[in-house]
Amino acid sequence: MEAVVVRIRRKSSKVFRACSGVILEDAGLVAVPFGLFFEQPCHKEETIRFDPSSVHQHDGIECAFESKPSRWISASVLQILPLWKYSSIDLEDVLCPDEMHATAGPLEIGHLGSTRESARIASSIVLVQCLRSSHRGKQPTRVEQVDGDIGTYISLHGSPFPQFLGTKFLHARFNGMIAACMSAPMKEESNRSIVYTDGPCLYILDAQVVPGFEGAPLIMKDTGAICGILGYPITSDRVGAVFHIGWPIRFIRHVMQAMMGMQQIPSATRHQSAYDKPMAHAVSIHTGDGCWASGYIIDMERRVVVTNAHALPHEANVMVRCSSTGILHPGHILYSFEGILDMAFIRVPELNTTNIASSLELSSTCTPVIGKRISIIGFPLWCASQTHGQPIVTRGHVTSVLRDAHDKEAIFTTDAKVISGASGAIVLDDDTSHILGMVVSNTRIVHGSTYSIIYPTFNFCIPSILIHRAYKAVLSGNSSINSIRKAFIAQGVKHVWETLHTDAALSKL
C-alpha cells in the first residue's frame, strides 16, 4: 500500500494546497477530503455554505505516489461523494459537539456558519482521477477492504505538511486506534432511500497526526487491510487535537456504488470484539441541566450503577442511559460520598439487564501497577444519545500509583485520553478484562478563576478496591458507611487527594 499526496492550485494563483489520499481499487482513482477544495471565508463571521461547485474552481490538480514521489501526475475531479446523504446517523451532533469543532485545513468547522453546513463539508469525499494513461489504466495492488472494530490498532500512511514539505516525507507512518464505530438503524421516517446500514458509517479515532495527513488510508496493523480514510480532527482551543474522524472504506464504496454504479460491496461480517462485554455495562448519567457523566453497572441483580459524586448536583433528577439498549431510565441516588471519595451509587429499577451477558469482575484484589495496559470506556465529548449508545474507548497505561499511610493504593494515574464527559468511566485491565478502577478527572493548569490548558493524558482514577469496599459499606447501612469513611481518612486517603488540590493543579471534569 503506497501513500499518495494530492495538491491543488486555484486558478490564477501560485499557491498550492495539499493533503494525503487513498488509492482505490478502481483504476486511477484517489479519494481525498472535500476540505482540500474548500476556501476559508475572508472574515470568520461570514456564513459558510456547502458548495460542491467549489471543486471545479481549481486547476493544476496533481497526484504524487510513494513509488515515484518526485513525479507529479495530472488529475481531474471525477465525482463528489456526499457521505452525509447516505449515513444512518445524524452527523451534525457527532462532528460538532459542544465547545469543540472539527477542522478542514484552514477551515474551523463548527465555528463558522451553521452546524449543518459544517457537517456537510466535513463529511464529503472527492474522487480524483489520474489523467496520464500509465496510471489511468493501472490497477494498484489489491488490498483487502474491510470494516475495522473498536480497539483495532491502525497505521496511517501519508505525508506530513505536504503544502510546505511536498513529498519529502511521503513515506511517513503514524499509529492510532479505533475508539468508536458509529452506526444506527435507519429511521422509518427518513426520506433517504439508500441509507447505509450494513456497518459503521463513522469512526472516532484516537490518533496523533499532523496536518496534511487528512485523507490518509487507515491500515489495520494485524491484517494489513484498509478499513477507512482519515478525516478531520475534533479539536479544542485549550487541548488541541482530541480525536479524529475517519470514514469506513466499505461505507465510501457503498456511496460510490449508489451514485456511480460501481462494483457492489459484499455484506459485512462482524466478529465479536473484546470490548463487547465491558461496553454493554457502560452508561451515561444525565442530570437535567444538559450535562452528563459516564458510569457503569456495578450490580446487575440490584440494578445499581456507579459514577463520580461531583457529576451529581444536589437534588438532581438523575436519568441513566444504558449503552446496550440506548433507553433512558430514571434513577435515584442510593448514596453519594462527599470530599475524599468521589463516587456515588445510583439505583435504576427499570434498567433492563437481560441483554448483558454477565457482571464485570469488580475484584477487591485487582490492583494498579505501573506499566499495566488499560482501556478507558466512557462518553467523552458525546453523550450516549449522540453516539446511539456507543461508548468511546481509549487505551493507555498506568503511569503512577499513590499510596496512603498504610501502603494501600489510594490513587493511580494513566496516560489514556480523558476528556470532559468521561467522569465515572470504566478503567479496564486489558490483560484480565477486570475493572481496575474508575476515572475521576484529568488535569488542568489553573490561573486564578480560569484555566489555560487541559492535559487529557494525565488523569486520576480511584482503584477498584476502594469502590468495592465503599459499595459493600453502602449495602450494609449508615453505620458501615460512617466507619469506612473514617477508616479511609485515617489511612491517609484524604491527605493524598487534598495535596492534589493546589491553586494550579487538579480540576474536576
Side-chain angles (χ1 to χ4, degrees):
M1 179 65 201
E2 63 175 331
V4 187
V5 168
V6 179
R7 70 180 184 181
I8 64 172
R9 178 171 57 84
R10 197 172 183 85
K11 292 180 179 179
S12 70
S13 173
K14 295 183 179 180
V15 179
F16 281 95
R17 301 175 68 193
C19 71
S20 301
V22 173
I23 308 173
L24 300 177
E25 288 182 6
D26 310 88
L29 284 185
V30 177
V32 294
F34 178 83
L36 176 67
F37 297 85
F38 190 88
E39 294 291 340
Q40 183 183 20
C42 297
H43 303 287
K44 285 195 172 185
E45 56 272 9
E46 288 186 25
T47 301
I48 60 173
R49 289 288 182 267
F50 175 75
D51 181 11
S53 66
S54 62
V55 300
H56 301 294
Q57 298 171 7
H58 302 80
D59 57 9
I61 302 175
E62 297 175 310
C63 300
F65 298 84
E66 186 178 1
S67 56
K68 294 182 178 180
S70 60
R71 182 183 180 188
W72 289 94
I73 299 171
S74 297
S76 66
V77 172
L78 177 66
Q79 182 74 48
I80 302 170
L81 304 180
L83 305 182
W84 48 274
K85 283 188 177 181
Y86 298 85
S87 173
S88 59
I89 58 177
D90 188 347
L91 293 174
E92 295 179 31
D93 287 340
V94 178
L95 297 183
C96 303
D98 292 342
E99 299 182 356
M100 309 293 290
H101 56 274
T103 62
L107 173 68
E108 294 183 350
I109 298 174
H111 283 188
L112 301 175
S114 69
T115 301
R116 180 179 299 275
E117 299 295 329
S118 302
R120 290 181 177 182
I121 293 169
S123 56
S124 295
I125 296 289
V126 178
L127 296 183
V128 171
Q129 186 161 45
C130 297
L131 299 180
R132 293 188 182 178
S133 58
S134 59
H135 279 75
R136 185 184 179 92
K138 180 181 178 182
Q139 289 283 356
T141 303
R142 182 176 177 83
V143 179
E144 186 182 8
Q145 300 180 357
V146 299
D147 285 335
D149 207 343
I150 296 171
T152 299
Y153 283 109
I154 55 173
S155 177
L156 300 96
H157 299 193
S159 183
F161 303 105
Q163 184 173 355
F164 310 108
L165 301 178
T167 59
K168 292 183 175 64
F169 297 94
L170 186 51
H171 59 280
R173 305 287 187 266
F174 283 86
N175 298 314
M177 63 163 282
I178 298 177
C181 300
M182 295 190 182
S183 60
M186 181 174 60
K187 297 179 180 179
E188 293 182 0
E189 66 271 23
S190 174
N191 57 4
R192 296 173 293 176
S193 59
I194 322 177
V195 173
Y196 183 74
T197 59
D198 193 37
C201 297
L202 179 71
Y203 295 139
I204 302 298
L205 305 173
D206 186 6
Q208 296 296 326
V209 298
V210 296
F213 255 69
E214 295 86 358
L218 311 179
I219 311 297
M220 299 172 68
K221 299 191 76 172
D222 56 347
T223 65
I226 300 176
C227 65
I229 295 176
L230 181 66
Y232 302 114
I234 302 294
T235 68
S236 165
D237 293 335
R238 298 186 296 271
V239 182
V242 178
F243 293 101
H244 280 74
I245 61 174
W247 301 107
I249 194 71
R250 293 183 67 258
F251 174 41
I252 292 173
R253 293 198 65 83
H254 167 85
V255 178
M256 292 172 62
Q257 195 276 330
M259 294 186 64
M260 304 168 65
M262 291 189 169
Q263 183 178 1
Q264 194 164 2
I265 60 172
S267 297
T269 301
R270 187 185 183 278
H271 302 285
Q272 188 173 12
S273 167
Y275 291 105
D276 285 349
K277 179 178 176 180
M279 286 195 306
H281 288 75
V283 301
S284 60
I285 316 295
H286 305 259
T287 56
D289 53 1
C291 298
W292 74 89
S294 302
Y296 61 91
I297 303 171
I298 192 175
D299 188 334
M300 290 180 58
E301 181 180 354
R302 296 181 177 87
R303 294 176 170 79
V304 176
V305 303
V306 61
T307 187
N308 289 147
H310 75 258
L312 303 176
H314 293 293
E315 307 299 329
N317 294 319
V318 179
M319 301 293 288
V320 177
R321 189 185 301 273
C322 183
S323 63
S324 62
T325 63
I327 300 174
L328 200 64
H329 299 291
H332 66 265
I333 300 172
L334 284 179
Y335 193 86
S336 179
F337 287 88
E338 295 182 358
I340 58 170
L341 287 176
D342 193 353
M343 67 180 82
F345 300 96
I346 304 169
R347 187 167 186 273
V348 190
E350 299 176 10
L351 186 65
N352 185 358
T353 59
T354 55
N355 294 327
I356 302 176
S358 59
S359 297
L360 283 175
E361 184 68 29
L362 182 63
S363 174
S364 59
T365 59
C366 187
T367 58
V369 178
I370 294 176
K372 182 182 287 289
R373 296 182 304 166
I374 59 95
S375 296
I376 291 177
I377 305 173
F379 295 91
L381 291 184
W382 301 274
C383 64
S385 61
Q386 292 172 304
T387 63
H388 301 277
Q390 171 70 68
I392 308 296
V393 179
T394 58
R395 277 176 167 168
H397 301 80
V398 175
T399 54
S400 63
V401 180
L402 278 69
R403 299 179 181 274
D404 59 28
H406 296 269
D407 201 32
K408 301 292 185 180
E409 296 83 3
I411 307 167
F412 67 95
T413 64
T414 82
D415 59 4
K417 195 170 290 181
V418 168
I419 308 296
S420 182
S423 294
I426 300 170
V427 182
L428 196 71
D429 185 328
D430 277 357
D431 296 326
T432 65
S433 294
H434 292 175
I435 295 178
L436 194 64
M438 179 175 64
V439 171
V440 174
S441 66
N442 55 23
T443 304
R444 295 174 180 175
I445 296 299
V446 181
H447 294 284
S449 60
T450 62
Y451 53 86
S452 58
I453 190 169
I454 300 172
Y455 293 91
T457 56
F458 186 69
N459 47 79
F460 300 89
C461 308
I462 298 176
S464 61
I465 187 171
L466 296 187
I467 303 171
H468 181 85
R469 294 173 64 188
Y471 184 55
K472 286 181 62 177
V474 170
L475 294 180
S476 300
N478 291 333
S479 60
S480 296
I481 291 174
N482 292 332
S483 63
I484 203 166
R485 184 192 294 112
K486 292 177 181 178
F488 286 149
I489 294 174
Q491 289 176 0
V493 177
K494 180 180 180 181
H495 171 71
V496 173
W497 276 104
E498 287 184 345
T499 56
L500 297 173
H501 290 270
T502 62
D503 290 339
L506 180 66
S507 177
K508 301 292 186 183
L509 288 177

